[in-house]
Amino acid sequence: MRRGRTILLNVLAIGILGLLLSLAEAYCNGYQTQILNLIAINIILALSLNLIYGFTGLFSLGHAGFMAIGAYVCSILIMTPDQKDMLFLLQPAYDWVQNAQAPFFAAVLAGGAVAAIFGAIVGIPLLRLGDDYLGIATLGFAEIIRVVANNIPRLTNGALGFKGIPAYADLWWNFGWALVTLYVIVRLLQSNTGNVLKAIRDNEIAAKAMGVDVFRYKLLSFTVGSFFAGIGGALLASLLTTIDPKMFLFTLTFNVLMIVVAGGLGSLTGSVLAGIGITVLLEWLRVVENPVNLLGFSLPGIPGMRMVVFSLALIVIILFRREGLMGMRELTWRSLAGVFSREKA
Amino acid sequence: MQPTPQDVILETRDLNMRFGGLLAVSDFSAVFPRGSITGLIGPNGAGKTTCFNMITGFYKPTSGQVVFHGEEVQGRPPHALCRAGIARTFQNIRLFNNETVLENVMIGRHLRQKTNWLQTLVFTPASRREEKEIRARCMELLDVVGLADLAGEKAASLPYGAQRRLEIARALATEPSFLLLDEPAAGMNPQESEDLMGFVRTIREAFGLTILLIEHDMKVVMGVCEHLWVLDYGQTIASGPPEAIRSDPKVITAYLGEEQPHA
Ligand SMILES: Nc1ncnc2c1ncn2[C@@H]1O[C@H](COP(=O)(O)OP(=O)(O)OP(=O)(O)O)[C@@H](O)[C@H]1O
Ligand SMILES: [Mg+2]
């Protein structure tokens, strides 16, 4: 019965989300819609990094690299050959790049798949490293992807990047993929395989003694995480319609990391809530980068100020609430019901 | 009476473990007959845990062999040896602290699981059935160690003695044939160690185990072990039934200045 009720509530929640999205579609202006779209994509990215870092304990800083792979693969597949003709000004695209085409859904999936393949390829050597080295090595990987993107003009159009990528990624696609991501990661973590991942995070030596092939499960988590990072990157490319190597700097990984830490390492609902909160906050903080007039004093806009405020916020979180918003707890229907019944009592 | 080869489940041959200039274990050769409960004793730093680490694959022996079910297994990784049937507990308890008591045991079952997580994505009947079975089986194991009531608690929140029993339940979940317990009675009160002796015998019968345990509590050692191996500074200084060991002058000397074996 419990299980039936949970499924019913989940279906209901998805229905309400659908309703809200159609309302948003009808009444939100372009800017507001953009923020909603970014929320969905940030949730995808945060969930995938939380799987890797929060649930498996792998301190990876390579998310921007996997996003770049997803973004480029998807963009190449959804731009028409004519578009690519116009775009590759410096050098013509490789024939297979020129002719490759796929519908949006398949293109996003391909973006995720290629990112996952790269995840596995770099994971095989890197996941044998200790924790600190893993962070540095994955950071290096993301940087290599960026440099490669800059230097293979016939594949990526070099520093110019892509413009006019078809804007297919609307609210429905983005939130649809966010739900898929949530579903897959929740099911993975609820299965006994999820217990194994958490065991590796908690005590790797004990996990080995329990017969866990630690390397294999780290690779699984890293590959699934890379897959969804690629999906997020693919959607982002189609949402923003332009990409170039500069977009995939470390700050992009940092944003995602911020969401994961703020929401709670090891809490999926934390990532969802922080994904919403921090995306809104980041937009709202744009104010501090514009010139403002405060009671007759005019303050000049300082570019980059947003990230300063942002970084300070991260430091404050680490100092005063290291476990983030949710710690390792999850918001479930049952815990929600508990809150309401307690309030009534 | 010498055990015949078929009766020996595990055997070590001239195991050596060197850490830099320190020979932590030297020429450790021991046989463990099927179904026996054997003790490994010796003063602090004698090399007992190091022997465990070599048998369970955490250390690769500098030289020598570990023969399990007639096969040389030294140097294999711990997870492979666990799959082959060697399980252990740790001297300093190593639980999965953020997981519940039940989840700690379920992780041990993972090894014998046939369905994988991709099947749970689409709720295949086989995966649902197996997940139910795993839960039920793990609850049974918790029942055996008397922790069924605490199944939903976080492992870290258990009292010390219960944490030790949880480690044993978790090891049993991997379906071992050879179980190594590293100081299972450490930190237990006299009543708890008394219960532990009965418990060790019970699980040997119930799960068809061969058990090797390290223990400082001589009451436990003498009460439950059928055979003892004594290490001092990495050397095997004696082996035999408990009564003989108790009166062995070399053993008494080794323990002098350390702690007198009080039996
Ligand atoms: N990984 C290691 N590197 C270096 N030296 C080690 C290592 N592991 C153990 N030793 C050394 O080997 C010797 C034996 O250690 P071991 O832990 O096996 O002793 P023990 O008999 O289990 O002692 P205790 O009763 O205190 O647990 C000690 O001198 C210890 O310092
Ligand atoms: Mg020891």
Side-chain angles (χ1 to χ4, degrees):
Chain A
M1 263 315 41
R2 262 245 92 86
R3 178 191 181 80
R5 187 145 30 121
T6 307
I7 291 174
L8 189 72
L9 284 167
N10 286 343
V11 170
L12 212 66
I14 292 171
I16 290 171
L17 178 69
L19 201 69
L20 290 176
L21 288 183
S22 22
L23 286 176
E25 212 172 28
Y27 296 106
C28 284
N29 63 31
Y31 177 62
Q32 291 162 335
T33 309
Q34 184 79 353
I35 293 179
L36 289 175
N37 279 315
L38 283 175
I39 285 177
I41 293 173
N42 278 337
I43 287 174
I44 295 172
L45 297 171
L47 289 172
S48 60
L49 185 61
N50 209 343
L51 172 68
I52 296 173
Y53 182 27
F55 286 94
T56 321
L58 303 170
F59 186 50
S60 165
L61 295 173
H63 239 51
F66 297 115
M67 289 171 65
I69 292 169
Y72 275 98
V73 169
C74 174
S75 302
I76 288 171
L77 288 173
I78 58 178
M79 289 188 297
T80 61
D82 285 349
Q83 247 183 314
K84 287 181 232 176
D85 250 346
M86 312 261 288
L87 200 64
F88 285 79
L89 292 172
L90 300 175
Q91 291 177 50
Y94 294 119
D95 281 345
W96 53 275
V97 172
Q98 178 65 27
N99 298 324
Q101 246 196 312
F104 186 53
F105 177 74
V108 173
L109 208 57
V114 176
I117 291 168
F118 271 82
I121 292 171
V122 300
I124 288 169
L126 297 191
L127 292 173
R128 298 185 193 275
L129 298 176
D131 255 3
D132 307 338
Y133 300 107
L134 181 65
I136 293 166
T138 46
L139 190 64
F141 158 74
E143 199 54 25
I144 289 170
I145 292 294
R146 230 172 52 75
V147 171
V148 167
N150 245 325
N151 288 290
I152 311 185
R154 297 189 65 186
L155 177 64
T156 62
N157 204 24
L160 296 177
F162 297 155
K163 289 185 186 58
I165 301 163
Y168 298 136
D170 59 7
L171 287 172
W172 299 103
W173 279 118
N174 291 330
F175 277 91
W177 273 110
L179 282 181
V180 169
T181 310
L182 188 63
Y183 176 76
V184 172
I185 295 183
V186 164
R187 290 301 297 166
L188 167 59
L189 289 171
Q190 281 179 348
S191 75
N192 208 13
T193 304
N195 288 334
V196 170
L197 298 183
K198 292 178 237 172
I200 293 171
R201 170 194 67 190
D202 279 5
N203 198 320
E204 198 170 322
I205 290 180
K208 284 181 187 165
M210 290 292 97
V212 174
D213 185 347
V214 168
F215 171 72
R216 208 180 111 210
Y217 284 94
K218 283 182 174 177
L219 192 61
L220 169 72
S221 167
F222 194 71
T223 307
V224 174
S226 307
F227 175 80
F228 285 110
I231 298 281
L235 294 171
L236 194 63
S238 170
L239 178 68
L240 302 178
T241 70
T242 58
I243 56 170
D244 65 58
K246 272 203 309 297
M247 181 178 142
F248 299 99
L249 281 166
F250 175 65
T251 37
L252 195 60
T253 300
F254 183 77
N255 283 353
V256 182
L257 188 64
M258 171 86 179
I259 295 172
V260 173
V261 171
L265 285 168
S267 170
L268 294 178
T269 39
S271 284
V272 172
L273 294 176
I276 298 169
I278 287 184
T279 309
V280 171
L281 206 69
L282 262 181
E283 283 308 312
W284 183 67
L285 277 174
R286 277 187 199 283
V287 175
V288 300
E289 292 194 359
N290 297 330
V292 278
N293 222 324
L294 255 183
L295 309 165
F297 294 99
S298 73
L299 299 168
I302 307 168
M305 196 55 195
R306 202 156 66 112
M307 289 319 289
V308 173
V309 174
F310 205 53
S311 307
L312 283 175
L314 184 60
I315 292 170
V316 169
I317 292 175
I318 291 168
L319 285 179
F320 295 105
R321 197 174 163 84
R322 181 139 344 141
E323 76 275 22
L325 184 66
M326 298 291 293
M328 284 192 189
R329 289 180 300 277
E330 295 289 356
L331 213 55
T332 59
W333 294 121
R334 192 193 299 218
S335 65
L336 276 177
V339 169
F340 286 123
S341 58
R342 212 173 305 145
E343 273 173 7
K344 260 186 253 157
Chain B
M1 180 189 84
Q2 277 298 105
T4 62
Q6 294 92 321
D7 288 340
V8 173
I9 178 165
L10 190 134
E11 182 180 352
T12 64
R13 294 183 189 149
D14 301 318
L15 276 186
N16 282 284
M17 188 75 226
R18 182 178 284 285
F19 299 113
L22 173 79
L23 191 56
V25 173
S26 104
D27 291 332
F28 180 62
S29 298
V31 287
F32 304 97
R34 187 184 302 276
S36 61
I37 300 179
T38 308
L40 186 57
I41 64 170
N44 287 110
K48 305 180 295 294
T49 300
T50 303
C51 285
F52 269 33
N53 284 335
M54 286 189 286
I55 294 171
T56 54
F58 282 88
Y59 291 163
K60 198 176 157 69
T62 312
S63 64
Q65 290 96 42
V66 178
V67 180
F68 184 54
H69 287 300
E71 226 187 311
E72 283 192 24
V73 297
Q74 71 278 1
R76 287 197 199 165
H79 66 84
L81 292 172
C82 183
R83 179 172 290 276
I86 301 180
R88 71 174 291 180
T89 65
F90 293 92
Q91 182 172 353
N92 43 344
I93 299 176
R94 290 179 179 275
L95 290 172
F96 307 119
N97 281 329
N98 296 305
E99 269 47 69
T100 65
V101 168
L102 177 61
E103 282 162 352
N104 266 269
V105 184
M106 286 172 65
I107 289 156
R109 284 304 297 170
H110 184 268
L111 184 61
R112 311 290 171 199
Q113 195 169 337
K114 287 174 204 74
T115 58
N116 66 30
W117 71 278
L118 282 171
Q119 284 164 279
T120 71
L121 278 188
V122 288
F123 295 92
T124 62
S127 71
R128 284 180 64 175
R129 198 176 333 113
E130 187 168 35
E131 214 134 283
K132 263 210 191 108
E133 279 165 15
I134 290 175
R135 267 169 203 281
R137 181 80 188 113
C138 292
M139 283 307 292
E140 281 171 35
L141 284 171
L142 285 175
D143 215 26
V144 170
V145 299
L147 292 174
D149 295 342
L150 300 171
E153 300 293 318
K154 285 260 181 294
S157 71
L158 294 185
Y160 198 77
Q163 292 200 4
R164 287 234 174 260
R165 277 181 286 147
L166 176 54
E167 260 209 338
I168 296 176
R170 200 178 62 169
L172 290 176
T174 66
E175 294 183 356
S177 52
F178 193 77
L179 178 64
L180 299 95
L181 305 172
D182 199 341
E183 303 198 16
M188 288 189 170
N189 61 38
Q191 182 56 50
E192 281 176 320
S193 7
E194 185 74 40
D195 295 345
L196 179 78
M197 286 192 261
F199 176 68
V200 168
R201 280 192 216 98
T202 312
I203 58 173
R204 171 193 36 194
E205 305 308 328
F207 298 92
L209 296 171
T210 305
I211 296 176
L212 173 61
L213 58 87
I214 296 175
E215 193 44 71
H216 281 296
D217 185 334
M218 284 303 147
K219 201 155 171 271
V220 173
V221 171
M222 297 297 164
V224 76
C225 295
E226 293 145 2
H227 194 96
L228 294 179
W229 298 85
V230 191
L231 294 185
D232 190 26
Y233 293 111
Q235 310 280 340
T236 309
I237 57 168
S239 89
E243 312 79 59
I245 294 296
R246 201 193 322 228
S247 53
D248 189 310
K250 270 195 282 185
V251 177
I252 295 170
T253 322
Y255 271 93
L256 273 180
E258 265 283 337
E259 63 180 295
Q260 204 75 27
H262 41 80

